[in-house]
Amino acid sequence: MEEEQKQNTQQAKEEHTATSPKHMSIRSILGGDILANDFFKRQTRLLILIMILTVLYIDNRYSSQQELIEIDKLKKDLVDIKYDALTRSSELMEKSRQSRIEEYISMEESHLQTATNRPYLIKKD
């Protein structure tokens, strides 16, 4: 009986040393035997959580970069639209000057004329 116990404990020690990280070779690591190690078996949930958080971090960074690219594009569009609005505003100011209006009316041969007397206010009693 004692011999069986000694053999069992000796076999357990041999199995433990066979799977210990000291005896792991590159071939066993690349082959995936390291995942059968007792440490990795105990920490499976933590490793899965770390992988999920890593994927979420990468996704968050990608999304934020896409939003920054969109913001830059919209800023450029805004500047272009502001310059276009300024150009149109100046063109409208140029066309609505009194001298331009008088010139346009004289070219069209209209009966309209520029007023010679000043405008006055009508007071209500």
Side-chain angles (χ1 to χ4, degrees):
M1 191 77 142
E2 286 183 28
E3 286 182 26
E4 285 182 28
Q5 282 183 335
K6 287 182 182 179
Q7 286 179 352
N8 286 341
T9 56
Q10 190 175 16
Q11 285 178 352
K13 287 181 182 178
E14 287 175 5
E15 288 176 6
H16 179 64
T17 57
T19 60
S20 69
K22 295 178 183 175
H23 293 85
M24 288 288 175
S25 65
I26 294 176
R27 177 179 243 174
S28 66
I29 291 173
L30 293 177
D33 294 337
I34 193 167
L35 297 175
N37 193 341
D38 188 39
F39 172 77
F40 287 107
K41 286 181 182 178
R42 285 183 283 138
Q43 303 298 330
T44 304
R45 290 183 184 149
L46 177 65
L47 293 173
I48 290 172
L49 178 67
I50 289 172
M51 285 189 282
I52 289 171
L53 290 176
T54 304
V55 168
L56 289 175
Y57 176 75
I58 291 170
D59 180 58
N60 187 24
R61 182 171 176 108
Y62 178 75
S63 298
S64 65
Q65 284 179 342
Q66 292 298 321
E67 288 177 0
L68 287 174
I69 290 170
E70 183 71 20
I71 288 170
D72 288 341
K73 180 183 171 225
L74 290 174
K75 282 182 180 179
K76 288 178 185 176
D77 289 346
L78 180 64
V79 168
D80 289 342
I81 290 170
K82 280 184 179 180
Y83 286 139
D84 188 40
L86 184 62
T87 303
R88 290 182 187 229
S89 174
S90 66
E91 287 175 357
L92 180 63
M93 290 279 278
E94 177 67 27
K95 288 181 180 180
S96 63
R97 282 189 183 162
Q98 184 177 357
S99 60
R100 289 287 183 174
I101 293 173
E102 288 175 356
E103 188 178 303
Y104 177 74
I105 290 173
S106 66
M107 289 174 55
E108 292 293 319
E109 298 179 5
S110 174
H111 298 305
L112 296 174
Q113 295 178 355
T114 306
T116 54
N117 51 358
R118 296 185 338 196
Y120 55 91
L121 291 175
I122 301 175
K123 294 183 182 180
K124 183 177 180 183
D125 290 331

